[in-house]
Amino acid sequence: MSKLGRNDPCSCGSGKKYKKCCGASNVVEIGMGRYNVELDTLHNNLIAFAIDEHESKMKNLIIKYPQPSLQDDGEAMDTYMTGITPWIIMNVPLLAGGRTIYEAFYHKEKAKIKHTRIKNTFEEWGNCKPSVYEILTVDNQTKKIATLKDVFTHETYDVPQDEGNDFEEGNVAIGILLPYVDHHQFLFTTMELPGQMKEDIIHLGKRYIDEAGETGLANDFPNFIGEALSTETTKELEWENPLYEMVADLFTSHMRLKTDDEDVIATGVLIWNAHCHMHHPSFKKPGAYAAALEHLIYNQLIGHISQSELAKEYRTNASSISKKSRYIRRTMSLMEETLQDMVEEGDLYESFIDERIDIEKMMRDMQKALEEQNIESEAELDAFMDEFMKSQDIPYPVPSSPRDQAQDKLYEAQAEKGEKRRKLIQEALDIYPNSPDAYLLMAQNAKSINEQHHLFHQAVIAGEKDLGKDFFNENKGHFWMMTETKAYMQAKESYATIRYKLGDKESAMEQYEELLELNPNDNQGIRYELLPLYIEEEKYIPAKNLIKQYEDETSANFLFNKALLNYLISGITHETKAFLKKATKENPYVKDYLLGNKPIPKTSYAYIGIGDESEAIEYTQGCAHLWEGAQGLLEEL
C-alpha cells in the first residue's frame, strides 16, 4: 500500500484531506516535540549560563539570606541553597542595569530563535514566580505525567516524570514552573516535601502572600523556604505515643488562630516534645496539656492569656491547666542552660529564661528533697531525680528558713494582683528583708520612673546582703550558673539601665562593668549596652578592650560600632574601610537606615536574627545617634 500524501483523501472515510484530518494530529505532535526539544535546550543553556558566568554572584547573594535555624543541618542547608537558586535566576535583579540572570540570557538568545511559538513561550518564562503545588496524580505507566495544582490559584499543570521529577502523590512541591508547548517543567529543580506537611506549608505560603500581595513569595522566597524546611524538621520529631502528637497538633491549630509567628509555635512543639521524652506523661485527653502548653508559650512570647479563657477554648478546667503548666515548666527549667545556648545561637527566644523565680523554687525544693534522702550512689541519684521530675504530686518539703518562707510568699504574690499582691510582698519582706525578688516584683507596678529607680536600687542592696561578701569573692566569674544569683543579676541590670535613662551614665557603666566581671560569658547581653555607652562617652580604650574581649562577635552592634570606633580614633584608614566592609557584608540592611534612605521604625522585636533586617532596625534604634559626628564614615558607607 502506497503512503498517503498530505493532499490525498484521508483513509478514515471522512472525505477530508489527510493533512486536515488524521494527519493534522501527527503534524501537531511532531511540532510539539520539536518545540519542546528546543525549549529544553534553552532551559539547559539558561542553567549553564547562570552557573558558568554568574556562580560567584549567586553565592554572594545566598550568603545575604542566612537561615540560622538550618545551620546545624547540612542536608537541610543543601536543600535550601538549591531551592533558592531558581528564584535568584528568575526574580533577583543581580546584574548590571537591574537585570535578572534570565533577562540577560533572554536578550542574548532571543535573536537566534526562529520559531515564533518558541520565542513567545520562552518570553513567558520571565513572568514565572515561585509557588507551592500539591501533587494530585502521578501516571508512571503510560504518559509518565504528574498533575500538580497550585495551592493558591488552584490552576492545574501537567509535568513529565523523569529522573529530575520523581513525584509522589499527596506530597507538595515548591519551585518555579516554566511553560512548554503542552506541559510545564520546573526550572532547575523542585523541592518536594511530605504530604503531612501540606497544611502547614499552605498556611505558611498564604501568610507570605497576605503580607505582600500576589508577589509575596517572589519577594521573600528565601525566608519562606527557610521556614518551610524548619517546619519539616519540626514535623520529623519522634512521638512515642500518638496522644503526644495530638497535643502538639491541637496546640498548633489553636495558636494559629492567634499568631502568624511559626517560630513561636515551633518552639512550643519542641518544648512539648522534650517534655514527653523526659517524663512520658500518662493521660487520655489532650486538651488540658495543649492548653497548658499554650498558656506557657503565649504568656512568655506574645502577651497575656488567662487560664480561664483557655479552659473554655479547650473544654477543660483552669485548675488542670495550672497543674500541667507547672509540670511542663519544670522541663523548661531543666533545659535552661541548653535553651540559653540556643538563644545565643539565635534559635529560641530569650523570654524562656525569664521564668527565673519558678526555676529557683523548683531547684530549692529539689535540693530540700535530696537532703532528706539517703542516697549512696549515682544510680540512686539518677533514679530519684527521674522520679522527682515525673511526679505531679511531689510532697514538697515545708520551708524552714526565713528566706525560704519569704520566697514562698513571693511565689504566691507572683500570681496575684492589686492589694493582695502588695500584702504578700510586704509579708515576705517582714519575714526576710534581704529579698531582691520582693523589690523586683514591686517595681513591676511602679507608677513612675523615680519609684522604679528606688526599687531597683533597693533590690541590688538586698541582693548584696543576701549573698554576702564572701559569696561574691568565691564565685565571681561564675554567677550566672548559680540559681541563687539570678534575682541579684536581674536587679543590677535593671538598675544600670534606669541609671542611664536618668542621665547618670558613669554609674550605668560601672554597674554594667561589674556584671561582666561576675559573669564574663555575658548570658544577659550586657556587652550590647556597654559598647555603645563607651562610644557615646568617648571611652575609646575601654571600648577597644571590650571588642577584643568578645572578638568572635558577628552582631551588627559590634561590627558597625567597631568600624565607627576605628574612625573616631584614626579617621578613614584602610583598617576602617575593612571593618566597614565586613559589617555591611554581615548585615546589608543597616546601611539604608544609617544613611536615611529608610526611616527607622519604632518596631520592637521579641527575636532578633543575626544578619536580618530586624537586627538592623534594633541596632539603628539604639546607635544611630553615635554616627551623627561621623560624616566621613557615612560618606564611605
Side-chain angles (χ1 to χ4, degrees), residues 566-568 570-577 580 630-637:
N566 209 74
Y567 170 79
L568 293 172
S570 307
I572 296 291
T573 65
H574 177 74
E575 192 175 41
T576 303
K577 292 179 180 179
L580 189 63
Q631 191 57 39
L633 188 61
L634 288 170
E635 290 173 4
E636 182 65 29
L637 184 63

Side-chain angles (χ1 to χ4, degrees), residues 219-387:
N219 287 342
D220 206 6
F221 193 59
N223 286 333
F224 168 73
I225 289 288
E227 282 203 57
L229 289 171
S230 298
T231 302
E232 181 183 29
T233 302
T234 303
K235 277 291 180 183
E236 289 175 353
L237 294 173
E238 292 183 3
W239 303 96
E240 60 190 49
N241 186 324
L243 277 172
Y244 298 166
E245 189 168 7
M246 285 176 65
V247 169
D249 290 341
L250 189 60
F251 161 79
T252 298
S253 63
H254 280 252
M255 283 289 285
R256 281 189 176 146
L257 297 174
K258 304 178 182 73
T259 179
D260 286 330
D261 196 328
E262 292 293 325
D263 284 340
V264 170
I265 297 170
T267 298
V269 173
L270 287 169
I271 292 291
W272 171 244
N273 183 260
H275 179 80
C276 293
H277 280 293
M278 292 169 70
H279 308 306
H280 319 287
S282 176
F283 56 90
K284 294 181 179 179
K285 296 181 179 180
Y289 270 108
L293 182 63
E294 179 173 332
H295 186 255
L296 278 176
I297 299 301
Y298 194 95
N299 288 337
Q300 286 290 310
L301 303 181
I302 298 176
H304 175 74
I305 191 167
S306 69
Q307 291 175 353
S308 57
E309 285 180 75
L310 291 171
K312 292 178 183 177
E313 185 179 330
Y314 285 88
R315 298 182 181 179
T316 182
N317 59 74
S319 62
S320 183
I321 293 175
S322 177
K323 184 176 182 179
K324 289 172 172 58
S325 182
R326 290 196 300 272
Y327 186 30
I328 298 171
R329 190 179 287 132
R330 291 175 199 148
T331 297
M332 291 167 61
S333 67
L334 285 185
M335 295 171 68
E336 180 187 10
E337 186 175 343
T338 301
L339 287 169
Q340 180 62 36
D341 291 341
M342 295 172 80
V343 166
E344 291 171 355
E345 293 167 10
D347 292 335
L348 291 177
Y349 298 104
E350 193 167 359
S351 304
F352 280 131
I353 313 305
D354 292 342
E355 291 294 307
R356 179 190 46 73
I357 293 180
D358 295 307
I359 291 168
E360 183 176 340
K361 182 179 188 303
M362 188 206 70
M363 296 301 291
R364 185 202 70 184
D365 291 339
M366 185 182 289
Q367 183 63 39
K368 293 283 186 184
L370 273 170
E371 290 171 0
E372 295 178 4
Q373 305 299 310
N374 185 23
I375 293 175
E376 298 180 352
S377 69
E378 190 172 333
E380 289 181 2
L381 176 62
D382 290 341
F384 170 77
M385 294 288 284
D386 188 53
E387 185 60 33

Side-chain angles (χ1 to χ4, degrees), residues 516-531:
L516 288 181
E517 288 177 13
L518 295 172
N519 176 35
N521 286 334
D522 191 23
N523 305 74
Q524 292 170 282
I526 299 300
R527 59 190 181 277
Y528 304 122
E529 305 296 330
L530 185 56
L531 180 58

Side-chain angles (χ1 to χ4, degrees), residues 56-65 87-88 92 94:
S56 61
K57 288 188 179 71
M58 289 198 294
K59 283 184 176 178
N60 289 337
L61 184 70
I62 287 172
I63 292 171
K64 293 181 181 180
Y65 296 95
W87 169 76
I88 293 173
V92 180
L94 190 62

